[in-house]
Amino acid sequence: MQRYFHDELQELRNKLTLLGEKSNDAARLSVESLLEGDLEMVDRVLALDDAIDELEKEIGHACMRYISLRSPVSTDARLILVALKASHDFERVGDEAHTIARKARDILIREGRLSEPLKFKEMSRLSSNLLNDAITCFVEEDIEKAEAVIKMDQEIDALNKHHYEILTAETMQKQLSDASRFDAVLISKSIERIGDHAKNLAKEVIYLLKGN
Amino acid sequence: MNLAIQPERPKPNSASKAKAIIETRDFSFAYGPTQALFDISMDIHKKEVTALIGPSGCGKSTFLRCFNRMNDLIDNTRILSGQIKISGIDIYKRDVDVIELRKHVGMVFQKSNPFPKSIYDNIAYGLRIQGIKRKSELDEVVERCLRGAALWDEVKDRLGDSALGMSGGQQQRLCIARALAVKPKIILMDEPCSALDPVATAKVEELIHGLKTDYTIVIVTHNMQQAARLSDRTAFFYLGKLIEYGPTEQIFMNPENPKTEAYVSGRFG
Ligand SMILES: Nc1ncnc2c1ncn2[C@@H]1O[C@H](COP(=O)(O)OP(=O)(O)O)[C@@H](O)[C@H]1O
Ligand SMILES: [Mg+2]
């Protein structure tokens, strides 16, 4: 039987999806700002952070409220747990985007455009698609897609490793300042973590749907 | 950029005066020598569900019965102080017509009490007493009330059957339908679900939730989850005193009084 308060769960799902999309936007734009050399875009990404944090708090409150007033069990209880974990993952994606944007600004100010053959564009596209797929598998309750997300995360890990090797190689030491190479390693690591959060979300969706 | 979306549901109106339909001030009440209510002051808001909770014997039912002067029917009851106004009128004033008051403020009890008559007559009976005799008019009200109580589809083909053959949950919804017949503004409910199974309880709760678009509902419940699910505001009573009253969200998520906290978290009562 559909109860009047079940609408609140749908609203919670909507909010969570919105948070996912916003954090994904921030992540994508942060790398784009680096690749485009766009300092204005850097500022826009940095400004997104507060709104993302605010939305995470709202979701936390909605969960707390639902637990207090609706005594959820079974799927509904799992949804609440997933919403709390996933919103935290999204908030962390927002933090990574913030970190990337700050490092991007440092690099851009130091070097102008980054001309080195790093695979940030590919890596960012992968992590963004992954996060997008993770959100979709939540919305569409698609276990197969969730399992695919978990596997695909490895490609991002491989690119991160590749970056680490390039950036620590001797040839690179001549082309890029130590500070910028260090920042680039951190950016790569941040993108890799965004992939991890997408993977976490996919695992949470599987838990939500399977119950174990 | 503004990511915030609308809150879960409109917060109960805090401009209390404007929406108050029942205003209770310093109200104290006794059964003979025993005082049952102590200086109760609270406003009940129009078109909201207000829940009265608290351990058994704390005075919830007594307080509820004060709103339509049902306690007048009990010997030796006395108001020690204070007043209750409904729609601005002091209901304990001498010139108040109690029969009119009870039309304005209907009541549903824990144990459903349909008359041993047909489903149709359960609702038409009170109207006939009021002098409404035209079949078409009676038909119309019976349908309106049964629809209002979310019962029409279940019983429309057997309106002539005895009400006593209905399930417990249907009987309770019939009693609610009967209460609607005289077009009350306020409906008082004293543990309306405690004799019902979970499915029937859910149906009655859905009904109550729907009714608040048109009616003000005050419900006594021993079931805290029900109060949490159903009400906009909750009042917690203990030993005849109003301990805490506020938006249900506050009472269940962040009560101010430690007694309320202990009660809603199931530590006593
Ligand atoms: N008809 C009555 N005559 C005398 N005392 C009563 C009567 N009804 C209730 N009381 C007393 O008033 C107090 C409050 O009772 P009640 O309003 O029924 O509490 P609740 O509904 O919260 O369980 C209790 O101490 C009870 O014994
Ligand atoms: Mg009682």
Side-chain angles (χ1 to χ4, degrees):
Chain A
M1 179 177 182
Q2 168 77 20
R3 301 295 308 271
Y4 55 88
F5 47 83
H6 286 149
D7 290 351
E8 294 168 17
L9 289 179
Q10 192 51 48
E11 277 175 39
L12 181 63
R13 284 172 163 276
N14 293 346
K15 255 184 207 184
L16 194 59
T17 308
L18 180 66
L19 176 60
E21 287 166 2
K22 288 300 146 193
S23 65
N24 200 8
D25 283 347
R28 198 169 41 77
L29 294 178
S30 66
V31 179
E32 211 170 295
S33 68
L34 172 68
L35 299 175
E36 303 286 324
D38 186 339
L39 285 168
E40 235 176 80
M41 202 189 289
V42 167
D43 289 338
R44 259 183 285 142
V45 173
L46 295 177
L48 272 177
D49 204 42
D50 286 346
I52 288 174
D53 289 354
E54 195 51 42
L55 197 50
E56 190 212 2
K57 266 196 228 138
E58 260 182 48
I59 289 171
H61 177 81
C63 291
M64 183 55 204
R65 185 178 181 281
Y66 204 89
I67 292 168
S68 303
L69 302 185
R70 310 305 186 209
S71 329
V73 296
S74 187
T75 327
D76 293 350
R78 290 205 299 278
L79 175 64
I80 300 290
L81 188 62
V82 167
L84 283 170
K85 286 186 177 179
S87 64
H88 185 62
D89 276 315
F90 291 144
E91 187 267 329
R92 296 302 303 276
V93 168
D95 284 350
E96 298 298 348
H98 197 266
T99 304
I100 295 169
R102 272 187 302 133
K103 303 286 171 217
R105 182 169 57 196
D106 293 349
I107 292 177
L108 291 173
I109 288 170
R110 219 181 283 121
E111 317 278 342
R113 293 288 281 273
L114 189 69
S115 56
E116 294 321 309
L118 295 168
K119 297 191 170 171
F120 284 139
K121 190 170 192 165
E122 186 182 347
M123 199 180 176
S124 168
R125 191 178 48 74
L126 274 175
S127 73
S128 178
N129 286 347
L130 212 58
L131 198 53
N132 199 37
D133 283 356
I135 296 166
T136 309
C137 74
F138 169 72
V139 173
E140 294 175 357
E141 309 200 328
D142 185 340
I143 289 190
E144 278 172 31
K145 191 167 237 153
E147 281 161 351
V149 167
I150 292 171
K151 285 203 196 89
M152 261 187 349
D153 180 51
Q154 289 165 5
E155 288 182 45
I156 299 178
D157 292 349
L159 281 172
N160 183 45
K161 207 159 162 244
H162 169 76
H163 279 155
Y164 186 79
E165 280 159 8
I166 292 186
L167 287 161
T168 51
E170 244 176 76
T171 46
M172 203 53 140
Q173 292 180 14
K174 290 172 199 133
Q175 296 169 40
L176 212 54
S177 70
D178 286 352
S180 291
R181 282 189 299 119
F182 196 63
D183 283 342
V185 166
L186 291 176
I187 287 175
S188 183
K189 183 71 196 160
S190 278
I191 304 174
E192 187 260 323
R193 284 216 191 96
I194 291 169
D196 287 346
H197 291 300
K199 187 166 89 173
N200 286 348
L201 177 61
K203 284 182 183 164
E204 284 147 20
V205 171
I206 291 172
Y207 167 76
L208 176 64
L209 299 177
K210 283 191 176 169
N212 55 42
Chain B
M1 172 164 193
N2 183 12
L3 293 180
I5 16 186
Q6 283 302 305
E8 299 72 44
R9 63 172 157 172
K11 297 270 181 299
N13 194 335
S14 54
S16 82
K17 252 307 194 244
K19 278 192 78 191
I21 186 166
I22 304 179
E23 297 162 85
T24 304
R25 291 290 173 275
D26 304 318
F27 190 82
S28 297
F29 178 91
Y31 294 100
T34 341
Q35 187 167 350
L37 296 174
F38 296 81
D39 297 313
I40 310 292
S41 293
M42 68 183 267
D43 286 350
I44 286 171
H45 296 241
K46 208 176 276 179
K47 298 189 178 177
E48 285 188 4
V49 176
T50 300
L52 311 181
I53 62 168
S56 182
C58 70
K60 307 179 292 293
S61 298
T62 300
F63 189 47
L64 193 75
R65 288 195 301 261
C66 288
F67 296 144
N68 66 351
R69 294 184 52 172
M70 289 287 276
N71 290 320
D72 290 14
L73 308 174
I74 302 170
D75 284 344
N76 293 323
T77 56
R78 284 176 303 143
I79 293 161
L80 304 176
S81 71
Q83 57 174 8
I84 296 178
K85 281 188 183 173
I86 293 182
S87 305
I89 296 165
D90 181 345
I91 60 165
Y92 284 95
K93 270 220 167 115
R94 243 172 241 290
D95 58 352
V96 166
D97 179 345
V98 179
I99 305 292
E100 276 304 309
L101 172 69
R102 291 190 192 137
K103 273 193 215 159
H104 193 74
V105 187
M107 186 140 187
V108 175
F109 300 90
Q110 171 180 9
K111 202 176 162 325
S112 58
N113 51 353
F115 307 131
K117 291 170 179 295
S118 69
I119 295 172
Y120 185 96
D121 283 338
N122 259 275
I123 295 168
Y125 183 73
L127 300 165
R128 289 204 187 96
I129 287 179
Q130 284 184 45
I132 299 170
K133 298 263 150 58
R134 262 206 1 257
K135 175 90 166 71
S136 63
E137 192 176 349
L138 289 174
D139 284 355
E140 201 183 298
V141 179
V142 167
E143 180 170 345
R144 171 177 65 78
C145 295
L146 288 172
R147 283 191 189 281
L151 201 54
W152 177 251
D153 290 335
E154 287 166 58
V155 302
K156 62 171 188 274
D157 299 322
R158 51 184 180 107
L159 294 174
D161 292 5
S162 168
L164 301 181
M166 304 168 91
S167 72
Q170 287 174 325
Q171 287 190 9
Q172 192 59 300
R173 281 182 285 143
L174 181 64
C175 291
I176 295 174
R178 192 175 62 191
L180 301 182
V182 291
K183 296 199 170 163
K185 291 277 184 296
I186 300 167
I187 304 173
L188 310 175
M189 302 189 176
D190 196 345
E191 306 205 3
C193 301
S194 51
L196 304 180
D197 65 61
V199 174
T201 297
K203 280 194 181 165
V204 172
E205 286 182 4
E206 289 295 314
L207 168 58
I208 294 170
H209 181 73
L211 285 175
K212 76 173 175 180
T213 30
D214 297 315
Y215 305 91
T216 302
I217 291 160
V218 188
I219 180 171
V220 165
T221 175
H222 68 289
N223 176 341
M224 276 179 291
Q225 281 76 31
Q226 182 170 60
R229 280 195 296 270
L230 202 50
S231 68
D232 301 290
R233 283 169 210 272
T234 299
F236 169 58
F237 285 80
Y238 185 60
L239 300 175
K241 297 194 172 106
L242 175 61
I243 304 296
E244 189 166 351
Y245 176 47
T248 296
E249 204 170 300
Q250 180 198 317
I251 299 294
F252 284 89
M253 291 175 70
N254 206 6
E256 278 169 11
N257 192 297
K259 271 212 182 69
T260 315
E261 165 104 46
Y263 184 71
V264 297
S265 49
R267 293 206 190 87
F268 80 94

